[in-house]
Coordinates of all heavy atoms in Angstrom, one line a residue:
Chain A
K11 N -4.1 -96.7 14.7 CA -3.9 -95.7 15.7 C -4.0 -94.4 15.0 O -3.4 -94.0 14.1 CB -2.5 -95.8 16.3 CG -2.3 -94.9 17.4 CD -1.0 -95.2 18.1 CE -0.6 -94.1 19.1 NZ 0.7 -94.2 19.7
E12 N -4.9 -93.6 15.6 CA -5.1 -92.2 15.0 C -4.0 -91.2 15.4 O -3.4 -91.5 16.4 CB -6.4 -91.6 15.5 CG -7.7 -92.2 14.9 CD -8.9 -91.4 15.3 OE1 -9.5 -91.8 16.3 OE2 -9.3 -90.4 14.6
S14 N -2.2 -88.2 17.0 CA -2.6 -87.5 18.2 C -3.0 -86.1 17.9 O -2.6 -85.6 16.9 CB -1.5 -87.6 19.3 OG -0.4 -86.8 18.9
A15 N -3.7 -85.4 18.8 CA -4.1 -84.2 18.5 C -3.0 -83.2 18.4 O -2.0 -83.2 19.0 CB -5.1 -83.6 19.6
Q16 N -3.2 -82.1 17.5 CA -2.3 -81.1 17.4 C -2.9 -79.7 17.5 O -3.9 -79.5 16.9 CB -1.5 -81.3 16.0 CG -0.6 -80.1 15.8 CD 0.3 -80.4 14.5 OE1 1.1 -81.4 14.5 NE2 -0.1 -79.7 13.4
F17 N -2.3 -78.8 18.3 CA -2.8 -77.5 18.5 C -1.8 -76.6 17.8 O -0.7 -76.4 18.3 CB -3.0 -77.2 19.9 CG -4.1 -78.0 20.5 CD1 -3.9 -79.3 20.9 CD2 -5.3 -77.5 20.7 CE1 -4.9 -80.0 21.4 CE2 -6.4 -78.3 21.2 CZ -6.2 -79.5 21.6
R18 N -2.1 -75.8 16.8 CA -1.2 -74.9 16.1 C -1.7 -73.5 16.5 O -2.8 -73.1 16.1 CB -1.2 -75.1 14.6 CG -0.1 -74.3 13.9 CD 0.3 -74.8 12.5 NE -0.8 -74.4 11.6 CZ -0.8 -73.5 10.7 NH1 0.2 -72.7 10.7 NH2 -1.8 -73.2 9.9
V19 N -0.8 -72.8 17.2 CA -1.0 -71.4 17.6 C -0.7 -70.6 16.5 O 0.6 -70.3 16.2 CB -0.2 -71.1 18.9 CG1 -0.5 -69.6 19.2 CG2 -0.5 -72.1 19.9
I20 N -1.6 -70.1 15.7 CA -1.4 -69.2 14.5 C -1.1 -67.8 15.0 O -2.0 -67.2 15.6 CB -2.4 -69.3 13.5 CG1 -2.6 -70.8 13.2 CG2 -2.1 -68.5 12.2 CD1 -3.9 -71.0 12.2
E21 N 0.1 -67.2 14.7 CA 0.5 -66.0 15.3 C -0.6 -64.9 14.9 O -0.9 -64.7 13.8 CB 1.9 -65.6 14.8 CG 2.4 -64.4 15.5 CD 3.8 -64.1 15.0 OE1 4.4 -64.7 14.1 OE2 4.6 -63.2 15.7
N22 N -1.0 -64.2 16.0 CA -2.0 -63.1 15.9 C -3.3 -63.5 15.3 O -4.1 -62.7 14.8 CB -1.3 -61.9 15.0 CG 0.0 -61.4 15.6 OD1 0.2 -61.6 16.8 ND2 0.8 -60.8 14.8
L25 N -6.5 -70.5 16.8 CA -5.8 -71.8 17.3 C -6.4 -73.0 16.4 O -7.6 -73.2 16.4 CB -6.3 -72.1 18.7 CG -5.7 -73.4 19.4 CD1 -4.1 -73.3 19.5 CD2 -6.2 -73.6 20.7
V27 N -7.0 -76.7 15.5 CA -7.0 -78.0 16.1 C -7.2 -79.1 15.1 O -8.1 -79.0 14.3 CB -8.1 -78.0 17.2 CG1 -7.9 -79.4 18.0 CG2 -8.1 -76.9 18.1
S30 N -6.6 -86.3 16.5 CA -7.6 -87.0 17.2 C -8.0 -86.2 18.5 O -7.2 -86.1 19.4 CB -7.1 -88.4 17.7 OG -8.0 -89.1 18.4
F31 N -9.2 -85.6 18.4 CA -9.7 -84.7 19.6 C -11.2 -84.8 19.6 O -11.8 -85.1 18.7 CB -9.2 -83.3 19.4 CG -9.8 -82.6 18.2 CD1 -11.0 -81.9 18.4 CD2 -9.3 -82.6 17.0 CE1 -11.6 -81.2 17.3 CE2 -9.8 -82.0 15.9 CZ -11.1 -81.4 16.1
E32 N -11.7 -84.3 20.8 CA -13.2 -84.1 21.0 C -13.3 -82.8 21.7 O -12.6 -82.5 22.8 CB -13.8 -85.2 21.8 CG -13.8 -86.6 21.1 CD -14.4 -87.7 21.9 OE1 -14.2 -87.6 23.1 OE2 -15.0 -88.5 21.3
I33 N -14.1 -81.8 21.2 CA -14.3 -80.5 21.8 C -15.7 -80.6 22.4 O -16.7 -80.8 21.8 CB -14.2 -79.4 20.8 CG1 -12.7 -79.3 20.3 CG2 -14.5 -78.0 21.4 CD1 -12.4 -78.1 19.6
F34 N -15.7 -80.2 23.7 CA -17.0 -80.1 24.4 C -17.2 -78.7 25.0 O -16.2 -77.9 25.2 CB -16.9 -81.0 25.8 CG -16.6 -82.4 25.4 CD1 -15.4 -82.9 25.3 CD2 -17.7 -83.3 25.3 CE1 -15.2 -84.3 25.0 CE2 -17.4 -84.6 25.0 CZ -16.2 -85.1 24.9
N35 N -18.5 -78.3 25.2 CA -18.7 -77.1 25.8 C -18.7 -77.2 27.3 O -18.6 -78.3 27.8 CB -20.1 -76.4 25.3 CG -21.2 -77.3 25.6 OD1 -21.3 -78.1 26.5 ND2 -22.3 -76.9 24.9
A36 N -19.0 -76.1 28.0 CA -18.8 -76.2 29.5 C -19.9 -77.2 30.1 O -19.8 -77.7 31.2 CB -18.9 -74.8 30.1
K37 N -21.0 -77.5 29.4 CA -22.0 -78.4 29.8 C -21.7 -79.8 29.5 O -22.5 -80.8 29.9 CB -23.4 -78.0 29.1 CG -23.9 -76.7 29.5 CD -25.2 -76.4 28.7 CE -25.7 -75.1 28.9 NZ -26.6 -74.6 27.8
L41 N -19.1 -80.8 20.8 CA -19.3 -79.8 19.7 C -18.7 -80.3 18.4 O -19.3 -80.2 17.3 CB -18.6 -78.5 20.1 CG -19.1 -77.7 21.3 CD1 -18.3 -76.4 21.5 CD2 -20.6 -77.4 21.2
L49 N -10.2 -72.2 16.4 CA -10.9 -71.6 17.6 C -10.4 -70.1 17.8 O -9.2 -69.8 17.6 CB -10.5 -72.4 18.9 CG -11.0 -73.9 18.9 CD1 -10.5 -74.5 20.2 CD2 -12.5 -73.9 18.9
C50 N -11.3 -69.3 18.3 CA -11.1 -67.9 18.5 C -10.1 -67.7 19.6 O -10.2 -68.4 20.7 CB -12.3 -67.2 18.9 SG -12.1 -65.5 19.4
R51 N -9.1 -66.9 19.5 CA -8.1 -66.6 20.6 C -8.1 -65.1 20.9 O -7.4 -64.7 21.9 CB -6.6 -66.9 20.1 CG -6.4 -68.4 19.9 CD -4.9 -68.7 20.1 NE -4.1 -68.1 19.1 CZ -3.1 -67.3 19.4 NH1 -2.6 -67.0 20.6 NH2 -2.4 -66.7 18.4
C52 N -8.8 -64.3 20.2 CA -8.7 -62.8 20.3 C -9.9 -62.4 21.2 O -9.8 -61.2 21.7 CB -8.7 -62.1 19.1 SG -10.3 -62.1 18.2
G53 N -10.9 -63.2 21.4 CA -12.1 -62.8 22.3 C -13.2 -62.1 21.5 O -14.1 -61.7 22.1
L54 N -12.9 -61.8 20.2 CA -13.9 -60.9 19.5 C -14.9 -61.6 18.5 O -15.8 -61.0 18.0 CB -13.1 -59.9 18.6 CG -12.1 -59.0 19.4 CD1 -11.3 -58.2 18.5 CD2 -12.9 -58.1 20.4
S55 N -14.7 -63.0 18.3 CA -15.5 -63.7 17.4 C -17.0 -63.6 17.8 O -17.3 -63.6 19.0 CB -15.1 -65.1 17.4 OG -16.0 -65.9 16.7
E56 N -17.9 -63.5 16.8 CA -19.3 -63.5 17.1 C -19.9 -64.9 16.9 O -21.0 -65.2 17.0 CB -20.0 -62.5 16.1 CG -19.7 -61.1 16.6 CD -20.3 -60.0 15.6 OE1 -21.1 -60.4 14.8 OE2 -19.8 -58.9 15.8
K58 N -18.3 -67.7 18.7 CA -17.5 -68.3 19.7 C -18.0 -69.8 20.0 O -19.2 -70.0 20.0 CB -17.4 -67.6 21.1 CG -16.8 -66.2 20.9 CD -16.5 -65.7 22.4 CE -16.0 -64.3 22.3 NZ -17.0 -63.4 22.1
P59 N -17.1 -70.7 20.2 CA -15.7 -70.6 20.4 C -14.9 -70.6 19.0 O -13.7 -70.6 19.1 CB -15.3 -71.9 21.2 CG -16.2 -72.9 20.7 CD -17.6 -72.2 20.4
F70 N -5.1 -57.5 17.3 CA -4.8 -58.5 18.2 C -3.4 -59.1 18.0 O -3.0 -59.3 16.8 CB -5.8 -59.7 18.1 CG -5.5 -61.0 18.7 CD1 -5.5 -61.0 20.2 CD2 -5.1 -62.1 18.0 CE1 -5.0 -62.2 20.8 CE2 -4.7 -63.3 18.7 CZ -4.8 -63.4 20.1
T71 N -2.6 -59.2 19.1 CA -1.3 -59.9 19.0 C -1.2 -61.0 20.0 O -1.8 -61.0 21.2 CB -0.1 -58.9 19.3 OG1 -0.3 -58.4 20.5 CG2 -0.1 -57.8 18.2
G72 N -0.6 -62.1 19.6 CA -0.4 -63.2 20.6 C -0.3 -64.5 19.9 O -0.6 -64.6 18.8
Chain B
T112 N -3.9 -94.7 23.8 CA -4.1 -93.4 23.1 C -5.6 -93.1 22.9 O -6.4 -93.9 22.5 CB -3.5 -93.5 21.6 OG1 -2.2 -93.9 21.8 CG2 -3.7 -92.2 20.9
K113 N -6.0 -91.9 23.5 CA -7.4 -91.5 23.4 C -7.4 -90.1 22.8 O -6.4 -89.4 22.8 CB -7.9 -91.4 24.8 CG -8.3 -92.7 25.4 CD -8.9 -92.7 26.8 CE -8.0 -92.3 27.8 NZ -8.6 -92.4 29.2
P114 N -8.5 -89.8 22.2 CA -8.6 -88.3 21.6 C -8.3 -87.3 22.7 O -8.8 -87.6 23.9 CB -10.0 -88.3 21.2 CG -10.6 -89.6 21.2 CD -9.9 -90.4 22.1
A115 N -7.7 -86.3 22.4 CA -7.5 -85.2 23.4 C -8.8 -84.6 23.8 O -9.7 -84.5 22.9 CB -6.6 -84.2 22.8
K116 N -9.1 -84.3 25.0 CA -10.3 -83.8 25.4 C -10.2 -82.3 25.6 O -9.3 -81.8 26.3 CB -10.7 -84.4 26.8 CG -12.1 -83.9 27.2 CD -12.5 -84.4 28.6 CE -13.8 -83.8 29.0 NZ -14.1 -83.9 30.4
V117 N -11.0 -81.6 24.8 CA -10.9 -80.1 24.7 C -12.2 -79.6 25.3 O -13.3 -79.9 24.8 CB -10.8 -79.6 23.3 CG1 -10.6 -78.1 23.2 CG2 -9.6 -80.3 22.6
T118 N -12.1 -78.7 26.3 CA -13.3 -78.2 26.9 C -13.3 -76.7 26.8 O -12.3 -76.0 27.2 CB -13.4 -78.6 28.4 OG1 -13.3 -80.0 28.5 CG2 -14.8 -78.2 29.0
I119 N -14.4 -76.1 26.3 CA -14.5 -74.6 26.2 C -15.2 -74.1 27.5 O -16.4 -74.3 27.6 CB -15.4 -74.2 24.9 CG1 -14.9 -74.9 23.7 CG2 -15.5 -72.7 24.9 CD1 -13.5 -74.5 23.2
M120 N -14.4 -73.6 28.4 CA -14.9 -73.1 29.7 C -15.9 -71.9 29.4 O -15.5 -71.0 28.7 CB -13.8 -72.8 30.6 CG -12.9 -74.0 30.9 SD -13.8 -75.5 31.2 CE -14.5 -75.1 32.7
K121 N -17.0 -71.8 30.2 CA -17.9 -70.7 30.1 C -17.1 -69.4 30.5 O -16.5 -69.4 31.6 CB -19.0 -70.9 31.1 CG -20.1 -69.7 30.9 CD -21.3 -69.9 31.8 CE -22.3 -68.9 31.6 NZ -21.8 -67.6 32.1
I125 N -9.7 -72.4 26.9 CA -9.8 -73.7 26.3 C -8.9 -74.6 27.1 O -7.8 -74.5 27.1 CB -9.3 -73.6 24.9 CG1 -10.0 -72.5 24.0 CG2 -9.2 -75.0 24.2 CD1 -9.3 -72.1 22.7
V127 N -7.3 -78.3 27.7 CA -6.9 -79.4 26.9 C -6.3 -80.5 27.8 O -5.4 -80.2 28.6 CB -5.9 -79.1 25.7 CG1 -5.7 -80.3 24.8 CG2 -6.4 -77.9 24.9
E130 N -3.5 -86.7 25.1 CA -2.3 -86.8 24.3 C -2.5 -85.8 23.1 O -3.3 -85.9 22.3 CB -2.2 -88.2 23.6 CG -0.9 -88.4 23.1 CD -0.7 -89.9 22.7 OE1 -0.8 -90.8 23.6 OE2 -0.3 -90.2 21.5
F131 N -1.5 -84.8 23.1 CA -1.6 -83.8 22.0 C -0.2 -83.1 22.0 O 0.7 -83.3 22.9 CB -2.7 -82.8 22.5 CG -2.4 -81.9 23.6 CD1 -1.8 -80.7 23.6 CD2 -2.9 -82.4 24.9 CE1 -1.5 -80.0 24.8 CE2 -2.7 -81.7 26.0 CZ -2.0 -80.5 26.0
K132 N 0.0 -82.3 21.0 CA 1.1 -81.4 21.0 C 0.7 -80.0 20.5 O -0.3 -79.9 19.9 CB 2.3 -82.0 20.1 CG 2.0 -82.2 18.6 CD 3.2 -82.7 17.9 CE 2.9 -82.8 16.4 NZ 4.2 -83.2 15.6
V133 N 1.6 -79.1 20.9 CA 1.4 -77.7 20.5 C 2.5 -77.2 19.6 O 3.6 -77.4 20.0 CB 1.3 -76.8 21.8 CG1 1.0 -75.3 21.5 CG2 0.3 -77.3 22.8
I134 N 2.1 -76.6 18.5 CA 3.1 -76.1 17.6 C 2.9 -74.5 17.4 O 1.7 -74.1 17.5 CB 3.2 -76.8 16.3 CG1 1.9 -76.8 15.5 CG2 3.7 -78.2 16.6 CD1 2.1 -77.4 14.1
D135 N 3.9 -73.8 17.0 CA 3.7 -72.4 16.5 C 3.4 -72.3 15.1 O 3.3 -73.3 14.4 CB 4.8 -71.6 17.0 CG 6.1 -71.9 16.2 OD1 6.1 -72.6 15.2 OD2 7.2 -71.4 16.7
S136 N 3.2 -71.1 14.6 CA 2.9 -70.8 13.2 C 3.9 -71.6 12.2 O 3.4 -72.0 11.1 CB 2.9 -69.4 12.8 OG 2.0 -68.8 13.6
N137 N 5.1 -71.7 12.6 CA 6.1 -72.3 11.7 C 6.3 -73.8 11.9 O 7.2 -74.3 11.3 CB 7.4 -71.6 12.0 CG 7.3 -70.0 11.7 OD1 6.7 -69.6 10.7 ND2 8.0 -69.3 12.5
G138 N 5.5 -74.4 12.8 CA 5.6 -75.8 12.9 C 6.6 -76.2 14.0 O 6.8 -77.4 14.3
L141 N 6.1 -76.4 20.7 CA 6.3 -75.8 22.0 C 6.4 -76.8 23.0 O 6.3 -78.1 22.8 CB 5.1 -74.9 22.2 CG 4.8 -73.8 21.1 CD1 3.7 -72.9 21.4 CD2 6.1 -73.0 20.8
F149 N -5.6 -72.8 27.0 CA -5.2 -71.7 26.1 C -6.2 -70.5 26.3 O -7.2 -70.7 26.7 CB -5.5 -72.2 24.6 CG -4.5 -73.2 24.1 CD1 -4.9 -74.5 24.0 CD2 -3.3 -72.8 23.8 CE1 -4.0 -75.5 23.5 CE2 -2.4 -73.8 23.2 CZ -2.8 -75.1 23.2
C150 N -5.6 -69.4 26.1 CA -6.4 -68.0 26.3 C -7.3 -68.0 25.2 O -7.1 -68.2 24.1 CB -5.4 -66.9 26.2 SG -6.3 -65.3 26.1
R151 N -8.5 -67.5 25.5 CA -9.7 -67.3 24.6 C -10.2 -65.9 24.7 O -11.0 -65.5 23.9 CB -10.8 -68.3 25.0 CG -11.6 -68.8 23.9 CD -12.3 -70.1 24.2 NE -13.2 -70.1 25.4 CZ -14.5 -69.6 25.2 NH1 -15.0 -69.1 24.1 NH2 -15.3 -69.6 26.3
C152 N -9.7 -65.1 25.6 CA -10.2 -63.8 25.8 C -9.4 -62.7 25.1 O -9.7 -61.6 24.9 CB -10.4 -63.3 27.2 SG -8.7 -63.1 28.0
G153 N -8.1 -63.1 24.7 CA -7.3 -62.2 24.0 C -6.5 -61.3 24.9 O -5.6 -60.5 24.5
G154 N -6.6 -61.4 26.3 CA -6.0 -60.6 27.3 C -4.8 -61.1 28.0 O -4.2 -60.4 28.7
M158 N 0.7 -65.4 26.5 CA 0.1 -66.1 25.3 C 1.1 -67.2 24.8 O 2.3 -67.1 24.9 CB 0.1 -65.0 24.2 CG -1.1 -64.1 24.3 SD -2.6 -65.0 24.0 CE -3.8 -63.6 24.0
P159 N 0.5 -68.3 24.3 CA -0.9 -68.5 24.0 C -1.8 -69.1 25.2 O -2.9 -69.4 25.1 CB -1.0 -69.4 22.9 CG 0.3 -70.4 23.1 CD 1.3 -69.5 23.8
F170 N -14.3 -60.9 30.5 CA -14.5 -61.7 29.2 C -15.9 -62.4 29.3 O -16.2 -63.1 30.3 CB -13.4 -62.6 28.9 CG -13.7 -63.5 27.7 CD1 -13.8 -63.0 26.5 CD2 -13.8 -64.9 27.8 CE1 -14.0 -63.8 25.3 CE2 -14.0 -65.7 26.8 CZ -14.1 -65.1 25.5
N171 N -16.7 -62.2 28.2 CA -18.0 -62.8 28.2 C -18.2 -63.5 26.9 O -18.2 -62.8 25.9 CB -19.0 -61.8 28.5 CG -20.5 -62.3 28.5 OD1 -20.9 -63.2 27.9 ND2 -21.2 -61.7 29.5
D172 N -18.7 -64.8 26.8 CA -18.8 -65.6 25.6 C -19.9 -64.9 24.6 O -19.8 -65.0 23.5 CB -19.4 -67.0 25.9 CG -18.2 -67.9 26.2 OD1 -17.2 -67.8 25.6 OD2 -18.4 -68.8 27.1
K173 N -20.8 -64.1 25.3 CA -21.9 -63.6 24.5 C -21.6 -62.3 23.8 O -22.3 -61.8 22.9 CB -23.1 -63.4 25.4 CG -23.6 -64.7 26.0 CD -25.0 -64.6 26.5 CE -25.5 -65.9 26.9 NZ -24.8 -66.5 28.1
K174 N -20.5 -61.6 24.2 CA -20.2 -60.3 23.6 C -19.3 -60.6 22.3 O -18.6 -61.5 22.2 CB -19.4 -59.5 24.5 CG -20.3 -58.8 25.5 CD -19.4 -57.9 26.4 CE -20.3 -57.6 27.7 NZ -19.4 -57.2 28.7

Side-chain angles (χ1 to χ4, degrees):
Chain A
K11 189 177 169 181
E12 283 187 271
S14 69
Q16 176 172 287
F17 294 79
R18 188 161 71 100
V19 179
I20 306 175
E21 194 176 5
N22 304 337
L25 180 69
V27 188
S30 176
F31 68 88
E32 290 179 330
I33 295 193
F34 300 89
N35 64 16
K37 293 175 189 160
L41 300 179
L49 296 176
C50 172
R51 289 205 301 128
C52 71
L54 301 172
S55 171
E56 289 174 11
K58 293 193 190 79
F70 170 66
T71 57
Chain B
T112 304
K113 285 186 284 192
K116 184 183 177 198
V117 185
T118 307
I119 309 294
M120 303 310 300
K121 182 177 182 299
I125 301 162
V127 186
E130 192 170 309
F131 64 92
K132 65 177 181 175
V133 182
I134 60 172
D135 67 15
S136 298
N137 300 319
L141 307 182
F149 290 106
C150 173
R151 209 156 68 77
C152 71
M158 284 292 186
F170 174 65
N171 184 321
D172 275 325
K173 298 199 172 66
K174 279 179 200 161

